[in-house]
Amino acid sequence: MTVQKTLKRQIRARMRKTGEAYTAARQHFHVAKDSPMSTQTIDNPTTIVARNVQPDLWPSWISQHAWLAAFLPKAEAEARNQGYEACDHFCVQLAFLRLRSPVDDWFRELDVNMTQWREDILVALGSNLDRGTIDRYLEIGKRIQRARTSENPIGDLPLKRITSEAQEMLDLAKSEAERDQVPIDERHFMVPMMDWHPFGEPTIEELRRITGRK
């Protein structure tokens, strides 16, 4: 990974957040020469608060799946960063769509516009806000600000529940992993992801082929 690639990712993140053009967003960052960096995981700005899974929020069986236990805090962070008090399947999708290779490679092979998908989800999340009650809307805004600055988001902004749709996504991934007789990983999550895709999906057999499964 290089400094330049990291910079571009940060610029695009600001563009999504502020609506600025690329040039305008770029002015807010110090531009450094492209140079090698040590390999590390860089969190997306909207998931920077994702560190640990909230106790007792998810089914107890997730502890048996290391990848899932590491992934779900990112879904929680998406919920907190939208001001939600529950983790919806939209938040799980957003977290998954932000994952890098091999996930982004699989979506490209499926000819899926991940950027548009993310934008559509954000619109759907926004339209679900309770805008009819100004006090409720202001409270959501406060949660968003606290989520993006809190060093202890689980303690400061606990989620009340996960939705039935999010649970269904977990169950679908679990059934795929049980078919392979291995713990859940990103390969198994492609099935529930495409099952919830509003624009049609490939067959399960095709998904298994793309993700290198039998």
Side-chain angles (χ1 to χ4, degrees):
M1 185 179 295
T2 64
V3 171
Q4 194 66 21
K5 288 181 179 179
T6 301
L7 174 65
K8 288 180 179 179
R9 186 163 54 250
Q10 292 172 334
I11 292 171
R12 293 192 183 100
R14 181 178 175 87
M15 289 168 63
R16 289 193 295 270
K17 181 178 179 181
T18 65
E20 294 173 325
Y22 185 90
T23 302
R26 189 173 185 270
Q27 294 176 351
H28 292 272
F29 296 89
H30 173 70
V31 180
K33 292 183 178 180
D34 196 41
S35 59
M37 292 176 62
S38 59
T39 301
Q40 58 180 327
T41 300
I42 307 285
D43 282 323
N44 183 285
T46 61
T47 61
I48 197 69
V49 298
R51 291 293 179 267
N52 300 298
V53 68
Q54 180 177 319
D56 302 321
L57 182 67
W58 304 92
S60 59
W61 53 259
I62 71 163
S63 61
Q64 303 169 24
H65 306 273
W67 180 88
L68 193 59
F71 167 72
L72 290 178
K74 299 180 183 299
E76 289 182 17
E78 295 288 352
R80 294 188 178 98
N81 285 328
Q82 296 300 324
Y84 271 40
E85 295 182 348
C87 192
D88 200 345
H89 66 289
F90 285 128
C91 302
V92 177
Q93 288 186 35
L94 274 176
F96 195 80
L97 287 168
R98 295 191 200 280
L99 296 179
R100 298 176 183 83
S101 181
V103 173
D104 51 0
D105 294 330
W106 295 334
F107 280 118
R108 275 193 291 271
E109 187 168 346
L110 290 169
D111 198 26
V112 169
N113 186 332
M114 295 173 64
T115 301
Q116 186 62 54
W117 192 351
R118 283 194 295 264
E119 290 174 355
D120 289 346
I121 290 173
L122 290 172
V123 169
L125 284 169
S127 67
N128 289 333
L129 295 181
D130 184 7
R131 298 178 185 274
T133 306
I134 187 64
D135 290 342
R136 172 62 177 155
Y137 182 69
L138 291 174
E139 182 60 29
I140 287 175
K142 291 177 183 177
R143 286 181 64 86
I144 292 172
Q145 292 302 317
R146 290 177 65 193
R148 295 180 180 178
T149 58
S150 174
E151 295 182 0
N152 180 26
I154 293 177
D156 294 342
L157 297 155
L159 298 173
K160 294 183 177 180
R161 63 186 179 89
I162 60 172
T163 65
S164 58
E165 292 88 354
Q167 177 69 62
E168 185 175 342
M169 293 188 77
L170 294 184
D171 290 340
L172 282 170
K174 183 181 180 182
S175 67
E176 286 296 308
E178 287 175 344
R179 176 188 179 276
D180 291 347
Q181 298 183 332
V182 296
I184 296 171
D185 60 32
E186 59 266 64
R187 299 172 301 164
H188 306 111
F189 238 85
M190 284 294 287
V191 172
M193 280 293 296
M194 298 309 299
D195 187 62
W196 284 93
H197 195 301
F199 308 114
E201 63 280 338
T203 64
I204 292 180
E205 289 71 21
E206 179 71 0
L207 288 174
R208 289 170 180 159
R209 183 193 66 78
I210 287 172
T211 56
R213 297 165 59 200
K214 294 180 180 179

